[in-house]
Structure formats: structure tokens, C-alpha cells
């Protein structure tokens, strides 16, 4: 068959499928390769058919996202009606509708997505609630997923939200010494992305968060000004490029400034020596009983840590949970907080200065969420010529758990 007739035939069959509702306005078409395979034509022929649809403004191409139905034909158009009888193309093996079509909820609104590594009352839940609310106010439907701090799961979710027609992505990247390939591919394709609490070093993506290094520095200064020198830092081994790595740099910079570098004791370094690198390798995708076992294992290690360093006058948890574990241990051992051991951490569950709260670094989750959506809209609408990196103010909230050294 002459190529001209072939691409025209494919073009008309695509029109018919839009007319009969196989693809509706806003739906994403299969990829060029999928369509080529289905019709049994070359990529060049398929490209001509799609280009004709673009020229007629029936579909629109969105770089990095795909081809979307923009103005489907009306049911009574003669050319399409005639093609119903003449196309001769069976619908039995037609490629499956895109995730965008499957997820369609009838609102006709645009979509964006958010992928979080995890979420808790201490940090994450409030941000996700705010992102959901702000997205709704801005006229977006939100696709929300958790990566559970697994880069492989994160990569699959990025593929999914792109195929589902999300016009942009807000992401709390999973921790790792490198970035997953799907995240890098999305950035290279100029897909609108905003990261929260992790600026992708050397990668042109917008980001929003606090200065973790400075916040860590301020915590050490608070302890130092109250006479503390021997301080324990409770956290995992840091992955380069993460907020945790920034915090560790801040702790060390402050200790150097106050000439107490040798007095700072890092739990993760002690743990590595204690277990000789043979500790349990807990995976991000744990069952509930495994999560409980990890908690109990770390709690026992904290007990040994405190026994080995009885001269510690204070400890700083790199997150709320670690600070609370040490507080529980202090109660068990009859150590008063802050009289016998001062404690602070990053983040809190929100019961400000209540019995459960520790002096902590407060991250303005609502502001972070609002700014993230603003930056994403700037990228989607091309208002921003390039990536924007925004650092918001934090607070050190005094909940009475850091006292003077006696």
C-alpha cells in the first residue's frame, strides 16, 4: 500500500477511536512505538499520522509527558463516520487505555503528582495534607504515592505518574548516594519537578526546604551556651546529598567553631565499630513485625551507647523518633531530662511543649508545601526560565529539655 494512504488510514482510525470514546479529551495516547507495533507500520509512518493530528489540533504533544487528546472529533463528522466502515482495523488488540484514562474521575481537571519517601506526624503528614489542599485550591487533582525510601519503588512510581498524565511532580526523594535513573531521565526531559528537603546537586530541578546544616549548627550552639561539651548525635550513616548529610556537616562545623570536635560522639560511627559492619540489613519495605524488631534492636544499642559514654551530658536526635528513644531510655534508667541528660531533635509531632515534646528544629511544613506547589506551577507554565531553589526559615522551639550543665 502506498505510504501516503497508509498514514492517512492510521490517522483516520485514530480519529474514529477518539470519536467512539476509546480516547477522550485529556487522555494520553499510547507511545509512538506502541502504536507502530499495533498498526504494523514504520515509526516514520506513525509519526506522520500523529503529526497530522497535531496540525489539526486534535492532539497536543507535551515534551517528556506524551501525546494527549485535545480536541476530539464530533460524532457526526462525515469523514470519521465513513472511516468506521472503511478502516478495516480491528479493535480487539487495541493497546490498553493509558493510566490517565483509567484514573479519569470526570472532573476534567489537570493532574499533578506527589511522591514522598515516607510520612509521620513528626514530619511529612502535615506537608502532604497541605499539598493536597493547595493542589485542590489551584484546580489540580493529585496523585499521591509513597516510595517507602526505596529507590526502585520510587523509579516505578515516577514512570507511573508520568504515564497517568500528571503535568508535574513534587517529590521527597528517597535517600541514597545517587539518584534513580527515572528521576534523572525526567529532569533531562524537562519534566517539571520540585524536590522537598533535598536539592539535587548538579541537577537542574527546583527545590524547597530549610538549611539543615545551619539548623544543626544552631542546636550545637544552644547546647554549648548551656555548658555542654560531650554530646551524642543519634542518627544513621548519612548518604551524600541528603538532608541528613547536611545536618552532620552542620554538627561538625559547630563543634569545630566551639573547639569541641573531640567531644562530639556519633552513634552511627560507634554502631559500625560495635557491630563490625555485620548489623541487620533492614530494608525499606518492611513488615510491621520487622519494623518493631528494628526498633527494639536500636533501643538496645542506645542502652549500650549510653553505658559506654556515661560522660554524655546531652544528645541530639536527627529525627523525632531517635530523640524519643533516648528519652524513654533515660526514664527507664532514672535519668532526669534535662537535669541529668539534655535532649533535642529535628521535628516534633505538634504537641508543642507538652510532656512528649523535645526542644526541636521546627520545619514549616505548610509553607514548604505552598512554595513547592508555586515552584511547580512556575515550571509547568514556563514562568520560570530555570530551576528555583528556595530556602525557608526554621525555628528552634524550646520545650524545656535542654538545660544548664550542673
Amino acid at each position: 500500500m502506498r505510504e501516503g494512504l497508509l498514514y492517512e488510514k492510521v490517522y483516520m482510525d485514530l480519529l474514529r477511536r477518539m470519536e467512539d470514546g476509546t480516547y477522550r479529551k485529556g487522555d494520553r495516547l499510547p507511545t509512538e512505538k506502541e502504536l507502530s507495533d499495533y498498526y504494523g507500520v514504520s515509526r516514520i509512518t506513525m509519526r506522520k499520522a500523529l503529526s497530522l493530528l497535531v496540525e489539526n489540533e486534535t492532539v497536543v504533544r507535551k515534551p517528556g509527558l506524551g501525546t494527549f487528546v485535545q480536541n476530539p472529533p464530533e460524532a457526526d463528522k462525515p469523514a470519521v463516520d465513513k472511516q468506521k466502515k472503511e478502516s478495516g482495523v480491528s479493535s480487539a488488540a487495541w493497546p490498553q487505555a493509558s493510566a490517565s484514562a483509567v484514573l479519569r474521575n470526570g472532573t476534567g481537571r489537570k493532574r499533578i503528582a506527589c511522591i514522598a519517601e515516607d510520612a509521620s506526624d513528626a514530619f511529612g503528614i502535615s506537608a502532604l495534607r497541605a499539598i493536597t489542599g493547595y493542589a485542590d485550591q489551584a484546580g489540580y487533582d493529585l496523585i499521591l504515592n509513597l516510595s517507602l525510601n526505596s529507590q526502585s519503588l520510587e523509579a516505578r512510581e515516577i514512570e507511573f505518574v508520568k504515564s497517568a498524565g500528571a503535568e508535574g511532580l513534587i517529590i521527597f526523594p528517597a535517600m541514597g548516594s545517587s539518584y534513580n535513573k527515572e528521576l534523572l531521565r525526567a529532569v533531562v526531559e524537562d519534566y517539571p519537578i520540585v524536590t522537598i528537603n533535598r536539592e539535587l546537586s548538579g541537577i537542574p530541578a527546583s527545590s524547597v526546604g530549610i538549611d539543615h546544616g545551619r539548623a544543626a549548627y544552631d542546636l550545637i550552639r544552644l547546647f554549648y551556651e548551656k555548658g555542654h561539651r560531650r554530646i551524642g548525635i543519634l542518627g544513621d550513616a548519612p548518604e551524600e546529598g541528603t538532608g541528613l548529610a547536611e545536618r552532620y556537616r552542620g554538627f561538625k562545623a559547630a563543634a569545630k567553631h566551639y573547639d569541641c570536635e573531640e567531644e562530639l560522639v556519633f552513634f552511627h560511627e560507634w554502631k559500625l565499630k560495635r557491630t563490625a559492619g555485620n548489623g541487620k540489613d533492614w530494608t525499606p519495605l518492611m513488615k510491621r513485625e520487622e519494623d518493631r524488631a528494628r526498633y527494639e534492636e536500636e533501643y538496645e544499642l542506645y542502652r549500650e551507647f549510653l553505658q559506654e559514654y556515661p560522660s554524655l551530658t546531652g544528645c541530639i536526635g536527627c529525627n523525632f523518633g531517635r530523640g524519643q528513644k533516648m528519652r524513654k531510655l533515660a526514664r527507664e534508667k532514672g535519668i532526669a531530662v534535662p537535669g541529668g541528660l539534655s535532649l533535642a531533635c529535628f521535628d516534633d509531632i505538634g504537641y508543642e511543649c507538652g510532656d512528649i515534646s523535645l526542644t526541636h528544629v521546627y520545619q514549616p511544613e505548610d509553607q514548604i508545601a505552598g512554595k513547592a506547589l508555586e515552584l511547580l506551577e512556575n515550571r509547568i507554565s514556563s514562568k520560570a526560565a530555570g530551576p528555583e531553589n528556595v530556602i525557608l526559615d526554621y525555628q528552634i522551639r524550646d520545650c524545656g529539655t535542654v538545660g544548664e550543665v550542673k
Side-chain angles (χ1 to χ4, degrees):
M1 181 182 295
R2 185 165 60 89
E3 182 180 344
L5 292 176
L6 190 55
Y7 86 78
E8 290 170 1
K9 188 172 184 177
V10 171
Y11 162 76
M12 292 301 293
D13 192 67
L14 285 169
L15 282 178
R16 179 179 69 80
R17 294 182 186 281
M18 292 176 208
E19 178 196 341
D20 67 16
T22 301
Y23 287 101
R24 295 176 290 177
K25 186 172 182 177
D27 285 347
R28 179 181 180 272
L29 295 181
T31 66
E32 183 179 284
K33 183 180 184 305
E34 289 172 337
L35 290 172
S36 297
D37 291 344
Y38 171 73
Y39 284 109
V41 300
S42 68
R43 297 283 288 272
I44 294 175
T45 298
M46 195 65 245
R47 197 169 297 129
K48 284 185 177 181
L50 291 174
S51 294
L52 191 55
L53 290 170
V54 172
E55 290 173 10
N56 294 339
E57 298 184 344
T58 305
V59 301
V60 60
R61 286 193 176 109
K62 298 183 179 181
L65 296 176
T67 303
F68 294 81
V69 179
Q70 182 173 250
N71 296 305
E74 298 174 5
D76 58 354
K77 283 192 176 180
V80 179
D81 186 60
K82 178 181 179 182
Q83 184 61 20
K84 285 183 181 180
K85 302 176 181 178
E86 297 180 355
S87 69
V89 181
S90 169
S91 62
W94 180 250
Q96 292 294 311
S98 66
S100 175
V102 174
L103 289 171
R104 177 173 291 281
N105 59 16
T107 66
R109 305 204 308 174
K110 298 177 181 178
R111 286 192 185 91
I112 58 172
C114 178
I115 299 174
E117 57 178 330
D118 207 344
S120 70
D121 285 334
F123 183 82
I125 292 294
S126 293
L128 294 180
R129 285 174 178 163
I131 289 170
T132 302
Y134 288 137
D136 181 64
Q137 291 173 19
Y140 291 103
D141 286 331
L142 181 69
I143 301 171
L144 180 60
N145 284 324
L146 292 178
S147 70
L148 303 179
N149 207 25
S150 163
Q151 287 197 338
S152 60
L153 181 56
E154 179 184 79
R156 293 198 298 273
E157 289 174 347
I158 291 172
E159 285 186 292
F160 168 72
V161 299
K162 289 170 65 180
S163 69
E167 296 191 18
L169 170 65
I170 296 172
I171 184 169
F172 301 68
M175 289 192 295
S177 56
S178 60
Y179 315 124
N180 77 65
K181 292 181 180 179
E182 284 304 317
L183 181 58
L184 293 177
R185 181 179 291 114
V187 173
V188 169
E189 292 173 347
D190 203 29
Y191 181 67
I193 287 179
V194 175
T195 65
I196 288 181
N197 266 349
R198 185 176 183 185
E199 184 177 340
L200 304 183
S201 180
I203 307 299
S206 295
S207 66
V208 60
I210 68 166
D211 186 335
H212 293 273
R214 190 70 207 178
Y217 189 106
D218 285 347
L219 281 178
I220 294 294
R221 179 172 61 186
L222 173 64
F223 275 73
Y224 186 88
E225 289 174 349
K226 291 182 179 293
H228 297 271
R229 297 297 180 272
R230 194 69 160 164
I231 304 168
I233 305 299
L234 311 175
D236 290 328
E239 297 279 6
E240 192 55 43
T242 63
L244 183 59
E246 291 179 31
R247 293 174 188 180
Y248 278 42
R249 280 192 288 272
F251 291 137
K252 291 177 180 179
K256 182 177 182 179
H257 176 79
Y258 292 113
D259 196 26
C260 59
E261 290 177 274
E262 299 301 318
E263 301 298 318
L264 214 58
V265 184
F266 288 89
F267 171 78
H268 74 278
E269 294 177 351
W270 170 85
K271 178 183 175 182
L272 184 62
K273 294 176 183 177
R274 161 68 176 75
T275 61
N278 296 318
K280 173 76 173 178
D281 184 21
W282 301 105
T283 64
L285 305 176
M286 291 187 297
K287 295 179 181 178
R288 189 177 184 86
E289 57 270 22
E290 292 178 311
D291 195 34
R292 180 65 187 176
R294 180 179 65 169
Y295 176 93
E296 291 175 352
E297 178 190 90
E298 188 167 76
Y299 187 74
E300 289 305 312
L301 286 172
Y302 276 24
R303 187 193 306 277
E304 292 182 35
F305 180 70
L306 207 55
Q307 288 173 348
E308 187 157 334
Y309 296 100
S311 60
L312 289 176
T313 61
C315 287
I316 298 174
C318 288
N319 60 32
F320 174 77
R322 286 182 163 78
Q324 287 298 326
K325 284 176 192 172
M326 189 55 77
R327 182 171 198 166
K328 177 182 176 182
L329 183 59
R331 285 174 175 166
E332 180 184 306
K333 295 175 72 66
I335 300 173
V337 175
L341 184 70
S342 287
L343 294 175
C345 63
F346 274 77
D347 306 316
D348 186 71
I349 61 175
Y351 308 123
E352 294 181 7
C353 301
D355 290 341
I356 199 169
S357 290
L358 301 176
T359 294
H360 62 278
V361 174
Y362 169 76
Q363 301 188 64
E365 293 184 65
D366 190 84
Q367 291 180 43
I368 289 172
K371 181 56 70 171
L373 185 59
E374 178 186 326
L375 296 181
L376 189 65
E377 287 192 291
N378 288 346
R379 294 289 288 146
I380 291 172
S381 64
S382 299
K383 287 182 180 178
E388 302 173 90
N389 304 115
V390 177
I391 300 297
L392 297 176
D393 292 335
Y394 58 86
Q395 297 174 15
I396 302 294
R397 293 194 167 176
D398 184 1
C399 295
T401 57
V402 179
E404 301 283 348
V405 175
K406 296 180 181 179

